[in-house]
Amino acid sequence: MSGRFKTSENEGSGSGGCFVYQSTGKKPKVLDVTLSPAGSKEEVEYRIREGAKRLPDIVPGAVGFYFQDGSADNTQAAAILVHGYDRVIVELVRGVKGRDNAADVVAMMKLVAPKLILDATPAPEKTKD
């Protein structure tokens, strides 16, 4: 596992990531948790209209979605939560066959998002040039 998050607690910008790798073989990435100032409610609503499922309320004022790759052999799942312009992504790159990997990313989001997204220095409002 490797990674670092910059939040208002450690004088950061509200960004960073944590990555978990398989412990054997070529050690591919298994889990990716990312905090970035790249969120938008419009993207969330678009993805939900396109078939993603809405995340339950996790953080007041935040919206999000989750999905699992639809192919039978793919166990990849992701959840994205947006609060203002801040975005947390929990991506299970290599889930476990036979598990509800979408439920796993939602559960992980419930654990990590309240701390990460609320402690992040708010991303500045995006302007059009």
Side-chain angles (χ1 to χ4, degrees):
M1 181 165 81
S2 65
R4 178 172 178 210
F5 290 100
K6 298 175 184 177
T7 66
S8 57
E9 285 183 354
N10 59 16
E11 304 297 322
S13 62
S15 63
C18 180
F19 316 103
V20 177
Y21 299 89
Q22 185 173 308
S23 62
T24 60
K26 294 183 180 181
K27 300 186 180 191
K29 190 185 306 182
V30 178
L31 177 68
D32 181 345
V33 178
T34 304
L35 173 64
S36 69
S40 84
K41 283 179 88 171
E42 293 79 19
E43 176 194 1
V44 170
E45 295 304 326
Y46 170 78
R47 296 297 297 264
I48 291 168
R49 283 193 307 275
E50 292 295 309
K53 296 178 182 164
R54 185 176 298 276
L55 278 173
D57 290 337
I58 296 173
V59 173
V63 294
F65 64 94
Y66 67 100
F67 62 92
Q68 181 164 346
D69 186 294
S71 63
D73 289 337
N74 197 331
T75 57
Q76 184 177 9
I80 298 175
L81 185 72
V82 173
H83 185 261
Y85 294 105
D86 295 310
R87 174 177 70 182
V88 173
I89 302 170
V90 174
E91 181 181 11
L92 189 53
V93 180
R94 293 176 161 253
V96 177
K97 284 189 178 189
R99 285 189 58 86
D100 183 346
N101 294 296
D104 290 344
V105 294
V106 171
M108 177 69 82
M109 182 66 80
K110 288 177 180 179
L111 289 173
V112 301
K115 181 71 174 159
L116 287 177
I117 212 161
L118 293 177
D119 282 355
T121 302
E125 184 173 330
K126 297 175 187 174
T127 58
K128 294 181 180 180
D129 294 331

